[in-house]
Amino acid sequence: MTTETKTSYPKTDALMARGRDFLGSEYAILCGAMSWVSERNLVSAISNAGGFGVIACGAMTPELLDAEIAATKAMTDKPFGVNLITMHPQLTDLIEVCGRHGVGHVVLAGGIPPKGSVEAIKSFGGKVIVFAPTLALAKKLLRSGGDALVIEGMEAGGHIGPVSTSVLAQEFLPELSEDHLVFVAGGIGRGEAIAGYLEMGAVGVQLGTRFACATESIAHPDFKKAFFRAGARDAVASVQVDPRLPVIPVRALKNKGTEHFTAKQREVAGLLDSESVEMMEAQLQIEHYWAGALRRAVIDGDVENGSLMAGQSVGMVKEEEPVAAIMARLMAESEAALARR
């Protein structure tokens, strides 16, 4: 990137300064980790375009993650991170793989990081990015070693909490932004929204849905077409069938797969009834279900039965565009919005 490009967004750059320093990227724009989508091609394209790509480890084995990091490194010399699910049974081994590769940033998602995981990442010099649904938990995670926090509203795609992005931002940013690094995520599709959250004290943002259909995304053409056709109200949250099964709701485009998930929950609840599985195993079965359902949609293009995880910003995704074009547009929109202030 030339120096001229870097200075063409002075107001946005200034507000993103802490986030950019932390990530080591040109723009403090993280790509949300989307299973099967956030792999070497999209991750390297985002980092090469000045953002910060994040590999979605999901249900990968340590061997697969090892290969994915190596392949991503071959495609970019810019910084990128790895997103690990805290309930993964091989979390320790996955952290070790990140350490071997000298991964600079590890995102711990899907629950409270297990004892020792944050320390293990710190021990090889990695930075830890955490998620928190409540202010009290955010403070606790930041006290116990989290280097940065992502607050993600329920407009996001995939696993979601119950509160909207705008409310979380008003609640968390005034309390935390002075002393901590906070990124805002969920439902962000344009640069004007980025500008608003930066002005409120965020150091950067995270977007997933906006990048899911980029030219460099390996998602199946039919998966992308489903996104182009969808409006905000087509991205619905899953329902919880059994209160004992603490299934985190998932936002996806409504299709037959939505009904299959309801059936899957009933099946797992039945196994809990008959005491043939423990709660942890029940939750893992649900996670594996999602991994499979996502793969069917993203890789095989089965948009009827697979899971089309998408945030409500899906209505703003109209066509396939290169990552660099998406990034430039977001930055230009943010800059124009700040210039109008």
Side-chain angles (χ1 to χ4, degrees), residues 59 85 87 159 248 250 282-292:
I85 306 292
M87 65 167 79
H159 291 303
I248 302 165
V250 164
Q283 282 179 293
L284 275 174
Q285 278 200 25
I286 297 284
E287 280 309 306
H288 284 305
Y289 168 83
W290 280 123

Side-chain angles (χ1 to χ4, degrees), residues 66-291:
D66 185 46
E68 203 56 53
I69 295 172
T72 306
K73 275 176 151 175
M75 296 170 80
T76 185
D77 54 3
K78 301 278 171 60
F80 63 88
V82 173
N83 178 299
L84 302 178
I85 306 292
T86 53
M87 65 167 79
H88 195 299
Q90 292 173 286
L91 183 63
T92 311
D93 301 337
L94 295 169
I95 290 172
E96 201 179 300
V97 170
C98 292
R100 269 208 309 280
H101 281 285
V103 170
H105 300 70
V106 176
V107 183
L108 292 175
I112 295 170
K115 202 170 166 48
S117 56
V118 172
E119 294 76 4
I121 296 162
K122 300 269 190 183
S123 71
F124 63 77
K127 299 262 192 278
V128 180
I129 302 175
V130 292
F131 284 85
T134 66
L135 190 54
L137 184 61
K139 288 177 174 172
K140 183 175 188 288
L141 291 176
L142 290 165
R143 268 200 313 272
S144 51
D147 295 295
L149 172 77
V150 176
I151 55 174
E152 185 174 63
M154 50 96 75
E155 299 94 319
H159 291 303
I160 54 168
V163 185
S164 73
T165 308
S166 60
V167 172
L168 289 176
Q170 292 173 78
E171 207 180 316
F172 284 60
L173 291 171
E175 288 262 349
L176 300 174
S177 65
E178 211 167 299
D179 302 321
H180 301 285
L181 302 171
V182 185
F183 293 86
V184 175
I188 300 173
R190 290 183 57 93
E192 292 87 345
I194 295 174
Y197 290 127
L198 291 173
E199 284 184 319
M200 288 173 77
V203 298
V205 290
Q206 175 182 292
L207 290 80
T209 303
R210 190 70 189 82
F211 292 116
C213 297
T215 313
E216 296 89 343
S217 156
I218 61 154
H220 195 282
D222 291 346
F223 178 90
K224 292 183 181 181
K225 276 184 203 139
F227 269 52
F228 303 149
R229 281 195 303 265
R233 62 180 57 204
D234 298 314
V236 296
S238 62
V239 289
Q240 187 176 356
V241 168
D242 190 312
R244 290 164 317 153
L245 198 57
V247 176
I248 302 165
V250 164
R251 187 175 298 287
L253 300 180
K254 199 168 172 51
N255 65 356
K256 284 204 189 90
T258 318
E259 293 153 33
H260 297 330
F261 177 57
T262 306
K264 179 68 186 175
Q265 285 188 74
R266 287 206 184 93
E267 180 200 317
V268 175
L271 292 173
L272 276 175
D273 280 339
S274 61
E275 292 180 3
S276 46
V277 293
E278 296 285 321
M279 184 58 79
M280 183 76 172
E281 170 59 27
Q283 282 179 293
L284 275 174
Q285 278 200 25
I286 297 284
E287 280 309 306
H288 284 305
Y289 168 83
W290 280 123

